[in-house]
Amino acid sequence: MKMNMFHISRWASYAAALLMVAAPAALTSCKEDISEDAYAIKSMDTVSDMLAKRDDLSDIKALFEEVKLGKSANASSLLSVLSARGNYTVFAPNNDAVRAYVLEKTDGASQSIADLTYEQKELIAQNCIIDNGSQNAYELADFPSNGGTFATSNLKDRKLACTQDEADLLYVINGTSKVIENNLEASNGMMHVVNAVIAPSTNSVAELMGKAGNMRIMTKLLEITGYADSLKLRTQEEETYETENLNNAGSTKRFADFDFPFMEKRALGYTAFVEPDDVFKSDWGVPEPIYDEAQGVITNWDEIFKVIEEMCSTLIGADTTSGDLTNPANPVNQFVAYHLLDGSLSTDEFVHHFNEYGYNYVNALEPATKGYSVNVWDYYTTLGYPRGLLKITQLPDRVDAEQSFYLNRVSVYDDGITGDYHEIRVKNDNAPGQNGLNIKVRPTNGDFDNNALNGFYYPIDNILVITPETRQALGSERMRIDVTTMLPELLSNDMRGRKVAYFPTGYFKGIMNESSGTQIYYLQDGRVQINGSWRDYQGDEFLFSGRYDFVLQLPPVPVAGTYELRMGISNNSLRGMVQIYFGDSPNTTTPVGLPIDQREGKDQIPGNPWVKDDKLDEEAIRENDRNLRNQGYMKGPNYITVTGSEGKTPVRNQDSSPALRRILTTVYMEPGQTYFMRFKSAIETDNTQFFVDYFEFVPYDIVTSTTPEDIW
């Protein structure tokens, strides 16, 4: 966490320093010969002014005048919004683009926007505006170019993808809209002119896959296993949440001298990793589908399914369900479920870059998208039963110009005390497509529309299957899992690393049995405090306050065995004491150890064993680590660095207030079982904080090995 996070004295000192810097300028400006030019303010048009001067943008201007921001009767028009202060990125379709869209929607009957429904007008207008808030509007240099998405959603809460056309090198937004004029700077943002209306699909993930043409096999598998229905739109549930919480909309809750906005949305989304039909053929010898366009069916499905069923039974296990494909125990059902994540992930959200070793994010509010130094990964839980664990890894641009993503990549690293944690080699890479390991995610490159209304799908280069070999490989390494990846609602609502909020009871389905006194806050460095020297993994955290008592559902383990469970901690005087429980039911858990006091720093550990690494030689470092373990503690990972340190100061070695790991328990766990942790305040007061950042699930043979566990 930070140094510490809500120590207001630190922020006050920072503000005072700024005043001291500014003071000399104020004093020296008090002289008689001041040039009037010093007071001149550059006059620039707003976006609305720019639109008014362009005859070729009259249609979109008219739509902005009519469409309102919000549903209330007194909501402002978008044109008035674009005349106010702010930072807006506007992809304005020219008149030819708007009229072509109208012609399509009216079946060739009209080119006038007057013949559109209000919903159609709203779709055009809101999809082309991104409100960048306090951040700079996107100029051309900020555009992703390989099918990646802009970090900030548009006014329709949709992520927009961007690629660069190989022929004319023009940027293309969402696969259809070429940027034909760029970087038209306004006083309140940046406008770019596009040659087609930006209209992301309103299909569900499964429906959009079915339109791709080269994913017919997986589309059919989703249908017959019932997962197409699982991935359907949940708009009614989303609207119900908003309706039930209308009274809280726009409100904030004061906590630790900061105002946290109420979480007004609860979008439900999904992510699918999908083998195109040609991958099924090349990896498993599955016949190419013969598709009857008129009937909308695969005419050789029986032949295709026979091969898939045989492969699933061989690799996953024999069918004990009498061919019931909707039964989660069916091997084909398990195969399909392992491709699906609960939570919507655009490519920029696969992993979270912030304070990994060697990476300088430069600006906490707009982290750099290049200069990645080491592999970065995150773990996600798949659908189905038993739930699976899926690992997504991104390679750094120092070794991979494309910064490629891989599924289930298990690597050997330069992880010695004097190492730099670069990847030395990949484990278990002898049979891609057969063992479910090291599978590359294909970049979109604008070749297809994968941006559904409720999530995304991504083609992959080999077959993704969870076999015993897959499980053994994933279960052979320490699994460090950030709590944000355990909560799909955070992923689907564009929260991770981008917003702060407080949440009502019942918001997260993975957090249950909450007491009425439980208060939940999500924080991120840069949104609460600028470069605040936080010690958090990935620069964010959850704080639970009040007389909290809640249960957290844990991710699954890949293989059966004994695991040491650890929790990252960042103690300070504002924390409290927590009793932790563990069990295989949310309603039946047992205490693990004594209550943990999160107010204690390194100097309160019995025997005061913590010593800074650079004061020790390698053997002494190992001895110091053993002494800490004897007291139930470990230093924080060398992989995580203090925010604002340009990736140079590992939290393990921060002298004044280092991050630690607390060893919670050692327990036998199985992949087919769901486990839970309960956290209950051990202090009868309303104003303490309980800090939650990440957990480690460590196979016990790593803990007990004669080779010491690496410091990373």
Side-chain angles (χ1 to χ4, degrees):
M1 152 150 182
K2 23 192 189 311
M3 191 160 234
N4 242 343
M5 157 125 212
F6 288 132
H7 280 186
I8 305 305
S9 59
R10 178 180 179 87
W11 182 250
S13 300
Y14 178 63
L18 290 177
L19 289 173
M20 291 178 65
V21 171
L27 292 172
T28 56
S29 65
C30 295
K31 55 183 181 180
E32 296 181 2
D33 58 343
I34 299 174
S35 168
E36 291 186 6
D37 292 342
Y39 293 103
I41 298 175
K42 182 180 179 182
S43 177
M44 293 183 66
D45 287 340
T46 64
V47 173
S48 61
D49 293 333
M50 295 170 64
L51 290 167
K53 295 178 179 180
R54 296 277 300 251
D55 291 338
D56 62 330
L57 301 177
S58 59
D59 281 351
I60 192 62
K61 175 179 176 292
L63 290 172
F64 287 159
E65 285 181 302
E66 183 176 352
V67 173
K68 294 181 179 295
L69 183 64
K71 302 295 184 184
S72 65
N74 60 351
S76 301
S77 73
L78 292 183
L79 193 66
S80 66
V81 170
L82 294 176
S83 66
R85 293 181 63 181
N87 292 290
Y88 302 99
T89 304
V90 180
F91 297 105
N94 60 22
N95 289 349
D96 289 342
V98 174
R99 291 166 192 177
Y101 182 83
V102 177
L103 200 65
E104 176 189 346
K105 294 302 174 184
T106 61
D107 294 325
S110 172
Q111 288 186 314
S112 171
I113 59 174
D115 293 315
L116 293 174
T117 66
Y118 182 80
E119 289 71 21
Q120 290 170 327
K121 295 173 183 178
E122 188 179 56
L123 182 143
I124 297 172
Q126 293 189 355
N127 271 318
C128 69
I129 300 174
I130 295 174
D131 182 355
N132 292 88
S134 60
Q135 310 312 305
N136 293 326
Y138 293 118
E139 55 182 299
L140 205 66
D142 303 318
F143 286 18
S145 59
N146 61 347
T149 52
F150 290 95
T152 305
S153 301
N154 63 19
L155 295 185
K156 269 289 190 185
D157 288 324
R158 299 295 295 274
K159 288 291 189 72
L160 297 180
C162 181
T163 189
Q164 197 168 19
D165 190 283
E166 293 183 0
D168 54 24
L169 299 182
L170 293 179
Y171 284 88
V172 183
I173 308 301
N174 232 51
T176 57
S177 306
K178 280 192 177 183
V179 178
I180 55 178
E181 290 184 65
N182 62 75
N183 289 357
L184 304 177
E185 187 176 4
S187 63
N188 60 346
M190 194 75 66
M191 186 169 74
H192 311 275
V193 180
V194 295
N195 69 350
V197 164
I198 296 172
S201 172
T202 56
N203 292 125
S204 70
V205 172
E207 291 168 341
L208 195 59
M209 280 173 50
K211 294 177 179 293
N214 65 337
M215 297 183 180
R216 302 196 191 280
I217 293 176
M218 184 55 80
T219 300
K220 180 68 173 178
L221 289 172
L222 287 174
E223 175 189 331
I224 62 178
T225 55
Y227 286 109
D229 185 63
S230 299
L231 302 184
K232 70 181 181 181
L233 303 177
R234 309 287 175 181
T235 51
Q236 185 60 53
E237 294 177 48
E238 295 168 347
E239 291 171 3
T240 297
Y241 174 83
E242 294 182 27
T243 301
E244 290 177 347
N245 290 280
L246 277 178
N247 292 337
N248 291 317
S251 68
T252 60
K253 185 183 286 288
R254 191 75 176 173
F255 174 61
D257 293 308
F258 189 81
D259 291 322
F260 288 81
F262 176 79
M263 190 59 199
E264 299 181 13
K265 298 187 308 163
R266 191 175 183 274
L268 301 172
Y270 307 92
T271 304
F273 295 98
V274 188
E275 297 89 349
D277 297 336
D278 62 281
V279 170
F280 276 108
K281 179 181 179 181
S282 62
D283 281 13
W284 279 5
V286 177
E288 291 184 10
I290 301 172
Y291 193 71
D292 185 330
E293 294 284 354
Q295 299 294 321
V297 297
I298 301 173
T299 59
N300 61 335
W301 177 250
D302 289 345
E303 183 183 355
I304 290 171
F305 184 71
K306 180 181 178 181
V307 178
I308 292 174
E309 190 174 37
E310 289 175 352
M311 292 301 297
C312 289
S313 294
T314 300
L315 296 172
I316 297 174
D319 182 15
T320 60
T321 68
S322 302
D324 181 2
L325 297 172
T326 63
N327 188 325
N330 183 280
V332 175
N333 189 291
Q334 291 184 50
F335 170 72
V336 175
Y338 193 59
H339 293 71
L340 310 175
L341 305 182
D342 190 358
S344 173
L345 293 174
S346 55
T347 52
D348 62 309
E349 297 171 313
F350 281 176
V351 301
H352 188 49
H353 293 274
F354 200 79
N355 58 334
E356 65 264 25
Y357 182 81
Y359 168 61
N360 180 13
Y361 58 73
V362 184
N363 179 352
L365 296 175
E366 297 178 286
T369 56
K370 295 183 179 179
Y372 297 151
S373 52
V374 293
N375 285 9
V376 175
W377 61 87
D378 274 306
Y379 292 91
Y380 298 93
T381 300
T382 63
L383 298 185
Y385 181 84
R387 302 175 304 150
L389 197 66
L390 185 73
K391 180 183 180 185
I392 305 178
T393 301
Q394 184 177 30
L395 304 190
D397 45 10
R398 72 175 185 177
V399 298
D400 185 336
E402 292 183 350
Q403 302 167 27
S404 300
F405 294 101
Y406 288 86
L407 306 181
N408 295 342
R409 188 179 181 99
V410 181
S411 305
V412 175
Y413 294 99
D414 179 18
D415 58 5
I417 287 176
T418 60
D420 65 0
Y421 213 64
H422 74 268
E423 182 183 83
I424 296 174
R425 61 181 176 85
V426 179
K427 292 183 181 178
N428 306 97
D429 195 32
N430 57 337
Q434 298 299 315
N435 56 16
L437 297 168
N438 199 33
I439 296 173
K440 188 174 183 179
V441 180
R442 290 186 182 177
T444 57
N445 291 330
D447 298 332
F448 53 89
D449 184 5
N450 70 326
N451 186 352
L453 182 59
N454 66 340
F456 297 86
Y457 74 84
Y458 299 95
I460 52 180
D461 271 352
N462 291 111
I463 288 187
L464 176 64
V465 58
I466 187 161
T467 68
E469 290 77 18
T470 317
R471 294 183 182 279
Q472 287 296 332
L474 290 174
S476 69
E477 61 179 358
R478 174 186 57 218
M479 291 162 281
R480 183 176 299 140
I481 303 179
D482 194 82
V483 70
T484 60
T485 67
M486 297 160 58
L487 302 171
E489 296 85 357
L490 203 76
L491 307 175
S492 295
N493 289 274
D494 198 25
M495 289 291 298
R496 191 179 178 198
R498 296 195 175 103
K499 300 174 185 175
V500 297
Y502 79 93
F503 303 89
T505 300
Y507 187 88
F508 299 104
K509 63 184 179 184
I511 296 177
M512 57 203 73
N513 295 0
E514 299 158 75
S515 67
S516 59
T518 302
Q519 301 171 26
I520 307 176
Y521 302 87
Y522 174 67
L523 303 80
Q524 195 260 341
D525 187 15
R527 311 290 165 180
V528 172
Q529 192 174 14
I530 305 296
N531 294 339
S533 297
W534 289 27
R535 297 166 287 167
D536 303 49
Y537 184 36
Q538 303 179 346
D540 59 358
E541 67 192 49
F542 275 86
L543 288 180
F544 294 80
S545 189
R547 301 193 182 197
Y548 60 83
D549 186 356
F550 66 95
V551 173
L552 176 68
Q553 179 176 286
L554 300 178
V557 294
V559 292
T562 301
Y563 292 84
E564 182 174 273
L565 272 56
R566 309 168 184 161
M567 184 172 73
I569 59 175
S570 183
N571 293 357
N572 67 37
S573 60
L574 300 179
R575 307 283 190 244
M577 292 183 68
V578 59
Q579 177 63 59
I580 299 178
Y581 306 74
F582 178 86
D584 58 9
S585 165
N587 304 314
T588 308
T589 56
T590 56
V592 290
L594 298 173
I596 294 173
D597 194 339
Q598 289 196 330
R599 297 167 297 186
E600 295 179 345
K602 62 181 177 64
D603 295 334
Q604 281 75 51
I605 299 174
N608 198 16
W610 191 94
V611 181
K612 192 174 181 180
D613 283 357
D614 61 11
K615 296 180 180 180
L616 305 170
D617 59 26
E618 184 166 340
E619 180 52 40
I621 288 173
R622 299 296 188 191
E623 179 64 23
N624 186 228
D625 286 351
R626 287 192 289 271
N627 292 337
L628 277 167
R629 278 193 61 88
N630 290 337
Q631 299 299 330
Y633 288 90
M634 297 177 66
K635 289 182 177 178
N638 212 56
Y639 180 89
I640 306 171
T641 64
V642 178
T643 65
S645 72
E646 301 180 354
K648 297 176 181 177
T649 305
V651 298
R652 171 185 174 89
N653 214 26
Q654 185 188 20
D655 199 2
S656 58
S657 186
L660 297 166
R661 286 172 280 183
R662 185 64 186 251
I663 301 169
L664 303 178
T665 187
T666 301
V667 63
Y668 181 82
M669 302 174 73
E670 296 184 348
Q673 180 65 57
T674 301
Y675 297 96
F676 303 86
M677 275 190 179
R678 177 186 174 195
F679 304 92
K680 182 181 180 181
S681 176
I683 301 177
E684 294 297 318
T685 181
D686 293 330
N687 60 359
T688 61
Q689 302 173 2
F690 170 49
F691 169 88
V692 181
D693 186 7
Y694 65 91
F695 295 90
E696 290 184 344
F697 299 77
V698 188
Y700 206 56
D701 58 357
I702 292 177
V703 177
T704 57
S705 172
T706 55
T707 302
E709 183 179 343
D710 70 80
I711 65 172
W712 295 85

